[in-house]
Structure formats: C-alpha cells, structure tokens
Amino acid sequence: MRSAEAAAPVALSELMERAGQSLAEAALRFAGPVPALLLCGPGNNGGDGFVAARYLHQREVEVRVAALGEAQTDLARAARAAWGGAIEPIEDAAPAPLVIDCLFGTGLKRGLEDAVSERLSGLVKSAQWAVAADLPSGVEADSGGLLSQVPAFDLTVSFGALKPAHRLMPAMARMGRVVLADIGITADGPWFEIGEPALPPVAPDAHKYSRGLVHCLTGEMPGAMALAASAAARSGAGYVRVSTSAPIAGLPRSVVQVGDAPLADPRIGCLLVGPGLGKLPQLLTLALTSHRPKVIDAEAIGHVGDPARLKGQDAVITPHSGEFATLFGELPGSKAEQALAAAAASGAVVVYKGADTLVAAPDGRLGFAPPAPAWLATAGTGDVLAGMIAALRARGMPAFEAACAGVWLHGRAAERAGPYMIADDLLEWL
Ligand SMILES: NC(=O)C1=CN([C@@H]2O[C@H](COP(=O)(O)OP(=O)(O)OC[C@H]3O[C@@H](n4cnc5c(N)ncnc54)[C@H](O)[C@@H]3O)[C@@H](O)[C@H]2O)[C@@H](O)CC1
Ligand SMILES: Nc1ncnc2c1ncn2[C@@H]1O[C@H](COP(=O)(O)OP(=O)(O)O)[C@@H](O)[C@H]1O
C-alpha cells in the first residue's frame, strides 16, 4: 500500500481528498443524512476524517468532529484547517446516530490507550450506524490482529486496495460490510482477493478422459470420499474413479468404483487422497509414487510428516488449522505469512482453510478468499472442497488457479445452499 502511494501519479493531498470524499459518500449512502460524529486521529486517517466532515457538511448533514490530540502530519494539518468548524476533545464527545472512526488506519503501531478504545467502543455501541475509515482503529493492517479492543462496525470503507486485515480473522469479523473506494491508486503486491474464476471451456471435440480423470484413493471412512468424489463429478471432471476394497454406498452411478488401478496411468488428471483416509499412511505413500498432479486433504496431510516430502509432487494441500499445525508446526507471523512459508517449505500450493481461507503458492502468490458463510462450518464441507479442486486440476487448470477457483466456487455454493445446509446439500449447488 505504501509503495502504491509512493508510485501514485497524483499528489498525496489529492488522494486524501478523494479518500475523504469517498468516505463521506459511502457513509451517506449507507446511513442516510443522519447527524454524524467524526472521530479524527493524529495521522492521515484523521486527515481523511476532516475531509469527510467537510463534504458531509456541504451535503447539509449535521456534523460534529472530535479529535484525538493535534494533527501530526502536514496533510492532516491542512485537512484540519480546511474543515474550519468546531473540534471537540474526544473525551467529551456526545454520541451520534452515525459515528465515523478515523482515529487510526494503516499507521497504527500499538494498541489504543484504554481510555480511547473504551470511548470508541462506547460511541460505536450507542450509534445506529458505525463506519470505519480504511480500518477500524485497533486493527493491525497486515496481520488482521487486534492490538486493542475493537468494536463491531457496520461498514468499513477501504481506500485504494484491500489490506490483509480486511480478509483475515479476527479483524474481518469487526468490519461489517467492506467496500473498496477507488482513489486512483492500485495495489502492487503479490496478494489479491480471489475473484470469480474463468473456467476452462469444454472443447467441442472433448471426450471423457480429455475433460479430466480424477482418481480417488479411499480409506477407512468411505462416506468422506463419497462426498469428495461426488463433488469432483459435479465440478466438471469427465471421469471420476474411486479405488476401494468394498463398494461405497451413496456414490453417483457415474462414478466408477474399482479395486486397484495403476497410479502411473497418464490419463489421470488429478489424484485425490485424504478424505476419509484414517490411519492408512501407506495410501499417501502410494499416492506419492505417482507423478500425476494431486490434491492431499484431511488425514493424509497428517501422514506427510516432513513437508519436504511434497517437493516436486505438483500437489495442492488443503489443511484446516489443526492439520496445518500437525504438518508445519507453529510457524511465526500472520496466517498469510505462515501459509506462504508453508508453501515454500513444501513446494505445494497451500489452501489454508477456515473462516478466512487463503491460498498460497510456493512462488509467493497469495489469494485471499472473499468472505464465505459461517454455516460452512459443518462436517464434510472440506471433503467437498477437495473434490472440487481435484476436478478443476484434472480439467487442466494450474494448481494455484484450480485451488483459488475451488475456494471461490465453494463459498458461492454455500451462499446458495443456505444456513441449514449439510455438506451433502452443497453438491446440489456446485
Ligand atoms: N495509503 C494511501 O495511499 C492513502 C492513505 N490515506 C490514509 O492514511 C492512513 C494512514 O495514515 P498514517 O500513516 O498517517 O497513519 P494513521 O493515521 O493510521 O496514524 C498514524 C499516526 O498515529 C501514531 N500512532 C500509531 N499508533 C498509535 C497509538 N496506538 N496511539 C497513539 N498514536 C499512535 C503514529 O505515530 C502516527 O503519528 C490510511 O489508513 C488512510 O486512511 C488516505 O489519506 C489516502 C491515501
Ligand atoms: N466460520 C467459517 N466461515 C466460513 N467458512 C468456514 C468456516 N468454518 C469452516 N469453513 C470452511 O468449511 C470447510 C471445512 O473444512 P474442514 O475443516 O476440512 O471440514 P471437514 O474435514 O469436516 O470436511 C473449509 O472450506 C473452511 O474454509
């Protein structure tokens, strides 16, 4: 973000003007012309607040401004002077129906003082609408951590680009709706928000093998693999084959159940191992003898042991936090940094699941999932995701793109399936 700012073709004062105007417009559209209280901090986040106050006043909204100390940057000082209206000390500020938090943004270095964070929380709780400028004050921009108590906002207006905290827990749960205001700069980092994927078209001369063969290795709990294999079949694979020692109930009839099959079969577009595997590490070892692309999920992740075993395997791994810790131990840094370190250590694309799923590639690319419904937190949804990614991989998408596409489609399917869905229902919405 800071490098984007430095490279921006427009003056910083103009960026602040645009940020403040966007904030005012977004708050007005969201809350309507109700009396507003802007809380302005000492840095440029506070400067955005003074600009927004000026715009709201021009739009005939009743505005009050409360400041935390004096402005500390030239830009903020200029914005404060241009406001020209009264400024109350934050300790004395009375509540208002609309509270706009411009205390701190990306420059926050430590938690807010207790008295300030309590004041902020009190004003936010008593407001009808609470809006945060760029980031709620107390949120650490890069990690998504909370440096002090952060109340729940209804709307967060991010300037120029989303920051990691907009997509990482616990911060993302405090932001309400997040909107991105275009202020004329673009992010230039290696990370991005995963968007709707462009899926490979079905070629006019396609046949079932060219559309992608997913081969699944079943373990001790065939139900989990039934979910994963069904998801692969519903995600456009031309052929889904399950090797199993006993017939699995509940699989679509189009999914072929076999005994042993050679894993070196060049028609295999993706091998899937893990869902329902149980205590059968030998099946992972078998999968790793194949040179075909693979998705490694669930218990199979725990059987890897040394992440370096995955080097050269062309693998996507899909751990939740417990499986991640089993394979990689306690890594330092934010969830994003941990996922990137894990991808580098294993050479695999890492789908680090949870309420804030992200996808990391060994080359440093990092995709943050858009928010998905919390009702995905139900048994078997991870199996469905693994099957979806395996199908997309078999259809020819590269590992990172297939993982990102699977995550995006999974979240949207859950939205359509509704709050009382079970993992089986998700299959109907792929
Ligand atoms: N990056 C960009 O391109 C743009 C940024 N803008 C705004 O500028 C913000 C960043 O501005 P700044 O870098 O000035 O940072 P902030 O406004 O977030 O605050 C930083 C200031 O607060 C002090 N500080 C940090 N933590 C504190 C604490 N706990 N208690 C007391 N003081 C503390 C710092 O020493 C510094 O003086 C963004 O979040 C955004 O709102 C916009 O003006 C538009 C353009
Ligand atoms: N609170 C949540 N909000 C959004 N998605 C969630 C939440 N909790 C879990 N998920 C998603 O649900 C899926 C659960 O997968 P996993 O933990 O492997 O479950 P299982 O092993 O039972 O299939 C993952 O895709 C994860 O990202």
Side-chain angles (χ1 to χ4, degrees):
M1 193 61 195
R2 288 183 187 278
S3 55
E5 181 185 319
V10 280
L12 292 180
S13 56
E14 176 58 22
L15 291 181
M16 182 176 283
E17 193 67 18
R18 293 178 189 174
Q21 184 175 7
S22 309
L23 176 63
E25 292 297 337
L28 196 52
R29 272 199 303 275
F30 193 71
V34 297
L37 170 66
L38 285 106
L39 308 175
C40 297
N44 290 339
N45 195 247
D48 299 339
F50 287 113
V51 174
R54 181 157 46 80
Y55 275 98
L56 286 170
H57 179 68
Q58 281 170 14
R59 301 286 300 269
E60 299 184 345
V61 173
E62 188 185 320
V63 185
R64 288 183 293 121
V65 174
L68 180 65
E70 292 300 316
Q72 302 287 341
T73 70
D74 290 345
L75 284 176
R77 266 188 287 275
R80 184 172 174 143
W83 154 241
I87 299 176
E88 314 165 26
I90 194 165
E91 310 83 63
D92 302 339
L98 168 61
V99 166
I100 306 182
D101 163 26
C102 311
L103 290 176
F104 299 102
T106 55
L108 190 75
K109 307 233 168 17
R110 55 190 185 281
L112 276 59
E113 285 172 15
D114 288 349
V116 178
S117 74
E118 275 161 30
R119 192 84 201 103
L120 173 65
S121 291
L123 289 167
V124 163
K125 278 180 194 142
S126 58
Q128 202 178 338
W129 305 103
V131 177
D134 213 13
L135 293 160
S137 299
V139 161
E140 192 176 44
D142 288 337
S143 71
L146 307 183
L147 297 178
S148 50
Q149 178 193 349
V150 178
F153 286 81
D154 301 299
L155 174 71
T156 296
V157 183
S158 170
F159 305 128
L162 293 183
K163 288 82 195 172
H166 291 113
R167 291 295 176 248
L168 287 176
M169 293 294 274
M172 68 182 269
R174 310 298 165 100
M175 300 202 187
R177 215 175 126 193
V178 174
V179 297
L180 178 59
D182 179 3
I183 58 168
I185 51 174
T186 49
D188 57 358
W191 70 271
F192 60 93
E193 177 163 69
I194 298 168
E196 182 173 359
L199 299 176
V202 180
D205 60 349
H207 55 76
K208 63 189 176 200
Y209 290 116
S210 69
R211 284 193 66 193
L213 167 58
V214 175
H215 185 95
C216 310
L217 296 175
T218 311
E220 293 176 333
M221 290 161 286
M225 190 51 97
L227 280 172
S230 303
R234 297 262 177 222
S235 299
Y239 195 140
V240 180
R241 196 167 70 189
V242 177
S243 67
T244 174
S245 51
I248 302 176
L251 272 175
R253 283 176 295 238
S254 55
V255 171
V256 178
Q257 304 193 37
V258 296
D260 280 341
L263 298 189
D265 182 348
R267 294 174 307 179
I268 294 177
C270 190
L271 262 177
L272 173 59
V273 61
L277 184 67
K279 297 188 181 63
L280 295 174
Q282 62 273 27
L283 281 185
L284 172 72
T285 304
L286 181 68
L288 295 184
T289 61
S290 164
H291 297 296
R292 306 307 300 151
K294 32 194 94 63
V295 171
I296 300 174
D297 182 43
E299 286 103 330
I301 295 169
H303 295 320
V304 171
D306 178 1
R309 251 182 116 194
L310 298 179
K311 290 264 182 191
Q313 284 287 337
D314 193 357
V316 176
I317 59 172
T318 52
H320 58 53
S321 58
E323 290 154 357
F324 187 94
T326 303
L327 179 53
F328 298 105
E330 296 298 329
L331 297 177
S334 68
K335 180 167 177 173
E337 289 164 330
Q338 291 173 18
L340 284 170
S346 62
V349 168
V350 177
V351 179
Y352 193 168
K353 295 184 298 194
D356 50 0
T357 296
L358 44 82
V359 183
D363 63 9
R365 282 174 295 167
L366 183 65
F368 289 81
W375 55 76
L376 266 176
T378 178
T381 54
D383 304 320
V384 172
L385 176 65
M388 294 171 74
I389 296 173
L392 296 166
R393 189 77 187 91
R395 288 172 64 184
M397 292 182 85
F400 181 72
E401 284 75 6
C404 290
V407 164
W408 190 92
L409 292 165
H410 189 245
R412 305 297 74 71
E415 281 167 3
R416 291 197 298 275
Y420 300 110
M421 56 152 249
I422 58 173
D424 307 61
D425 301 333
L426 212 42
L427 300 171
E428 305 297 321
W429 297 96
L430 300 184

